[in-house]
Amino acid sequence: MRRQDSDRTLTLPRVTGGPRRRTAGQSLVLFALFGFVLVGFMALAIDGGFILAERRQVQSAADAAALAAARSVLDLRPLQVNPSGQTYGAANSRAGSTVDINWPPLSGPHTGDPFYVEAIVSQPVQQFFVGALYSGDWSVTARAVAGVEPIVRPYALLALRDCASGGTGIYINGSGSVDVHTGSIMSNCNIARSGQSSVVTAGGTIDAAGTIDPGSLWSAGAGYHQRPVVNDPVIESGIVPPSRDAAKTVGNVTTSAQLQLAVTNIQPNGRCPGGATCVMEPGYYGGNLNVDVHGTLQMKPGIYYFGDSFTLTTTSDNAVVQGLGVLLYITDSAAFTPSNAAIHLAAAPTSLYSPNGLDGMVMWIANCTPFMMMANGSFTLEGVLYAPCSQVRLYGSPGSNGVQVIVGNLELSGGGSFDILYTDYISANSPMVFLIE
């Protein structure tokens, strides 16, 4: 019995079936749920990424529209502001987009400012997977604001006459040369030359609103650029010319007798004879008087207001006109024709009159008369040569020490050279279009 009992084997029941089937069913449910969530995230990623890409494109379209519209503002083409903005906005967005141009802006910090333009571009967006959950319209909208703002540029030589006025802004004929040691050159029209022998150098840029035809011997430290027309910096700064009363004088000089008192050693016919030194008092000179220098004319410090038909001429190659701390203001029908004389003029460091005078103004030709310097004379200036509507022709070898030249147009002929040691007496603002918002 014991042996039989010991031969018995204990067999336990095997657990199968029910519990395993319940675990597999839960996994399927969880997998289905997570799969749905995963597909949802994928759908959001695809649709969201597409929206972001469309948003970037629409922003680029708004930027292009605002810049194009603002460029029309800069070019003084008011009728083209909206059309140009619409054209560039549509060209940089998809079909079905809307482009709204607001000039001036209707919102933001530049609301109502006519120097700024607002562009708003809206574009419908295609739906992929999200369309199964949302059946409404999808679109992206972007806004941009561009405007016209000035950039201060160090123009040592600025020719203000634009192409609409005719002629060339700066013209270098033959072997003439211009050397701007520091600062830049700007013409509101073309910069042209004849031949390859001319030399033009600028430490800064050589700019023009028209074309630039540089010769093989030309160089610009900061390159050549096409710029918008630059406004007259003297007018923009509110600088006013001196008055007749501002010219300190021994009395208004309008007759020959008065001229004898105002200029020592002057002859009754107005001649400063060769070999003589004539000393001229500052003041108002008018009438039909003419001072013809054959010797040396020494101008005392102060303002020389040349009006009516007064002329200061030099008909002798040995003539010299010199003055320290002077301002020559030429208006009405007056003229200064130095021809072959030696001219040495320097401005006072501060304005000789107030208010609203310009420090360093040495010569102001207000009546658009031409200014010509011939080949035989030396010509040195210190200060601002301001002849905003005059044609300035230089045939000699003028030099300068601390000068800024603002003229209507400049022509350098023959072997003439203009050496400009620039001082920034007055800043010239070059308007540019910028994306602001």
Side-chain angles (χ1 to χ4, degrees):
M1 295 294 292
R2 290 179 181 174
R3 182 177 298 171
Q4 292 177 352
D5 292 338
S6 60
D7 292 336
R8 291 177 181 177
T9 301
L10 180 62
T11 302
L12 296 176
R14 181 176 296 174
V15 180
T16 60
R20 283 195 177 181
R21 286 194 295 270
R22 288 194 297 272
T23 302
Q26 292 173 1
S27 298
L28 289 173
V29 172
L30 292 174
F31 181 78
L33 290 174
F34 281 116
F36 181 79
V37 173
L38 181 61
V39 171
F41 276 116
M42 290 178 61
L44 287 175
I46 293 173
D47 283 283
F50 185 71
I51 288 176
L52 291 176
E54 294 292 279
R55 176 67 174 77
R56 286 193 293 270
Q57 180 182 357
V58 171
Q59 186 62 63
S60 297
D63 294 346
L67 288 169
R71 178 70 197 199
S72 295
V73 175
L74 175 64
D75 294 340
L76 302 178
R77 297 183 297 144
L79 298 180
Q80 295 299 316
V81 173
N82 281 0
S84 60
Q86 295 276 352
T87 299
Y88 276 84
N92 288 274
S93 58
R94 298 187 187 278
S97 300
T98 60
V99 180
D100 295 319
I101 303 297
N102 299 318
W103 178 45
L106 298 179
S107 61
H110 300 287
T111 299
D113 192 330
F115 289 99
Y116 298 86
V117 183
E118 178 184 53
I120 301 174
V121 179
S122 297
Q123 178 174 293
V125 178
Q126 181 181 354
Q127 300 177 26
F128 295 97
F129 299 100
V130 177
L133 302 176
Y134 175 74
S135 59
D137 295 331
W138 274 32
S139 64
V140 288
T141 300
R143 173 183 175 273
V145 174
V148 178
E149 295 187 347
I151 294 293
V152 176
R153 300 194 185 278
Y155 286 132
L157 171 57
L158 173 59
L160 291 172
R161 183 169 296 170
D162 58 30
C163 292
S165 302
T168 298
I170 299 174
Y171 180 65
I172 314 298
N173 185 16
S175 59
S177 66
V178 176
D179 189 359
V180 177
H181 296 263
T182 58
S184 301
I185 298 172
M186 171 66 190
S187 169
N188 279 346
C189 190
N190 304 325
I191 299 179
R193 61 179 172 82
S194 65
Q196 289 289 345
S197 59
S198 61
V199 179
V200 176
T201 59
T205 61
I206 296 179
D207 304 334
T211 60
I212 304 175
D213 181 23
S216 59
L217 301 179
W218 293 29
S219 65
Y224 302 88
H225 303 276
Q226 187 173 37
R227 306 285 192 194
V229 168
V230 174
N231 294 329
D232 187 330
V234 173
I235 293 177
E236 283 202 330
S237 299
I239 305 299
V240 300
S243 65
R244 289 176 56 167
D245 293 337
K248 305 302 182 183
T249 181
V250 293
N252 292 337
V253 180
T254 58
T255 66
S256 177
Q258 292 169 337
L259 187 63
Q260 305 300 306
L261 298 175
V263 183
T264 61
N265 294 328
I266 198 80
Q267 295 178 343
N269 61 358
R271 173 178 291 190
C272 177
T277 297
C278 302
V279 180
M280 191 175 191
E281 297 285 343
Y284 173 79
Y285 291 81
N288 294 314
L289 296 177
N290 173 46
V291 172
D292 185 10
V293 182
H294 290 250
T296 298
L297 180 67
Q298 178 68 49
M299 307 180 80
K300 287 186 176 181
I303 298 174
Y304 292 81
Y305 192 114
F306 297 161
D308 294 335
S309 298
F310 177 83
T311 57
L312 174 60
T313 59
T314 58
T315 55
S316 170
D317 292 350
N318 297 320
V320 177
V321 176
Q322 57 190 17
L324 178 63
V326 299
L327 165 59
L328 277 63
Y329 180 72
I330 302 167
T331 187
D332 300 332
S333 298
F336 176 34
T337 56
S339 298
N340 287 335
I343 307 298
H344 307 289
L345 299 173
T350 58
S351 176
L352 293 172
Y353 64 97
S354 61
N356 301 326
L358 177 63
D359 295 347
M361 183 74 81
V362 64
M363 189 182 303
W364 184 332
I365 304 176
N367 59 0
C368 305
T369 56
F371 181 79
M372 182 181 299
M373 186 70 201
M374 301 299 290
N376 297 329
S378 62
F379 178 33
T380 59
L381 285 181
E382 183 172 346
V384 180
L385 169 58
Y386 179 57
C389 53
S390 295
Q391 182 179 35
V392 176
R393 294 181 176 180
L394 302 176
Y395 294 85
S397 299
S400 61
N401 180 20
V403 72
Q404 189 171 12
V405 181
I406 304 171
V407 298
N409 58 354
L410 174 69
E411 178 181 339
L412 209 66
S413 296
S417 63
F418 200 1
D419 191 35
I420 300 176
L421 294 174
Y422 168 62
T423 295
D424 186 13
Y425 290 100
I426 187 167
S427 298
N429 293 323
S430 177
M432 298 290 289
V433 172
F434 294 94
L435 197 62
I436 307 301
E437 301 179 45

